[in-house]
Amino acid sequence: MSIALKQVFNKDKTFRPKRKFEPGTQRFELHKKAQASLHSGVDLRAAVQLPPGEDLNDWVAVHVVDFFNRINLIYGTVCEYCTEKSCPVMSGGPRYEYRWQDEQKYKKPTALPAPQYMNLLMDWIEVQINNEDIFPTSIGIPFPKNFIQICKKILCRLFRVFVHVYIHHFDRIIVMGAEAHVNTCYKHFYYFCTELNLIDRKELEPLKEMTSRMCH
């Protein structure tokens, strides 16, 4: 990784503080296991498989939080170039436009400039991963019954960040020498979501050609 890039990633140039796992908890151990498999240069496709005897919800929780932190960081490196002027709609090229909808202010899908969409998205995810009723951190507290459905929605929306960054801001990623890092993060995300059927195939369409070159 280039020196400039190291500085960017080390500065934790995210929008918001990272959610961390408490040392000593089962999820922290899983987090370490997931991290170790990534750094050892092993096959990413194998690294995402649920370890024998581990709980699926725990494995998904660890990865969702980790992907949130990483994708947040990736967008943080290009966000000054993603403005209401440069990106008046949240899109992935001319064929794909993403509209924002939530339970509060935007009851109907609403077209928004990309930076506004990104801010709402990151806030929306952060609220959920910091909610103990959804992502419990204490041992013995069960996950909600709809936990996997919640995670599917989070991952689906995080995928849209990759779409926008790859299609509209990849020139900046290249200038910073960060493409290898971003590509690895994308491959990890793609393999994880497809291994566990956490993302709808039609959501993957905007990056289909790139994915077929990169992930096979």
Side-chain angles (χ1 to χ4, degrees):
M1 205 156 42
S2 71
I3 302 292
L5 180 63
K6 266 212 168 72
Q7 286 167 347
V8 169
F9 284 108
N10 289 350
K11 262 194 297 204
D12 268 3
K13 190 178 170 186
T14 51
F15 289 170
R16 52 214 79 239
K18 290 173 107 176
R19 171 76 192 265
K20 292 200 165 56
F21 298 99
E22 287 302 312
T25 62
Q26 169 66 10
R27 223 151 296 152
F28 181 72
E29 294 308 312
L30 272 181
H31 175 66
K32 280 200 311 199
K33 193 181 285 187
Q35 290 299 317
S37 66
L38 271 187
H39 294 309
S40 61
V42 299
D43 173 16
L44 282 172
R45 207 186 285 262
V48 298
Q49 291 168 9
L50 180 66
E54 295 296 354
D55 178 68
L56 176 66
N57 286 343
D58 272 324
W59 189 238
V60 171
V62 164
H63 283 79
V64 167
V65 172
D66 201 40
F67 288 135
F68 169 68
N69 288 334
R70 286 162 184 263
I71 293 168
N72 210 343
L73 198 53
I74 289 168
Y75 183 67
T77 63
V78 300
C79 63
E80 62 196 283
Y81 304 97
C82 182
T83 64
E84 296 195 5
K85 196 171 172 190
S86 72
C87 305
V89 290
M90 173 59 183
S91 62
R95 286 179 54 205
Y96 300 95
E97 182 186 320
Y98 299 119
R99 301 189 165 202
W100 182 255
Q101 185 175 14
D102 57 32
E103 311 298 314
Q104 278 80 41
K105 192 174 167 189
Y106 299 95
K107 301 278 166 84
K108 290 197 178 102
T110 307
L112 295 172
Q116 193 180 347
Y117 184 104
M118 295 290 192
N119 263 312
L120 287 164
L121 171 59
M122 298 304 182
D123 283 344
W124 173 80
I125 295 174
E126 193 178 30
V127 164
Q128 292 177 89
I129 63 177
N130 286 316
N131 181 341
E132 289 283 331
D133 293 334
I134 302 174
F135 281 77
T137 51
S138 305
I139 302 295
I141 295 181
F143 286 90
K145 291 207 167 28
N146 62 339
F147 179 70
I148 295 295
Q149 285 311 115
I150 291 169
C151 289
K152 282 182 173 180
K153 194 167 183 186
I154 291 173
L155 292 165
C156 169
R157 287 180 165 184
L158 278 174
F159 182 77
R160 296 170 180 183
V161 181
F162 277 122
V163 173
H164 186 72
V165 167
Y166 269 118
I167 292 174
H168 296 279
H169 301 293
F170 203 62
D171 54 337
R172 287 304 317 162
I173 298 286
I174 289 170
V175 166
M176 293 169 63
E179 67 266 42
H181 176 89
V182 175
N183 288 347
T184 300
C185 186
Y186 175 74
K187 284 201 272 194
H188 185 205
F189 181 92
Y190 174 83
Y191 287 143
F192 183 77
C193 291
T194 52
E195 164 76 17
L196 298 172
N197 293 317
L198 296 171
I199 205 158
D200 195 318
R201 290 283 167 178
K202 72 174 192 300
E203 279 291 331
L204 300 170
E205 283 290 315
L207 296 178
K208 192 175 172 187
E209 282 177 37
M210 182 194 86
T211 305
S212 69
R213 287 197 307 273
M214 201 192 287
C215 298
H216 290 293

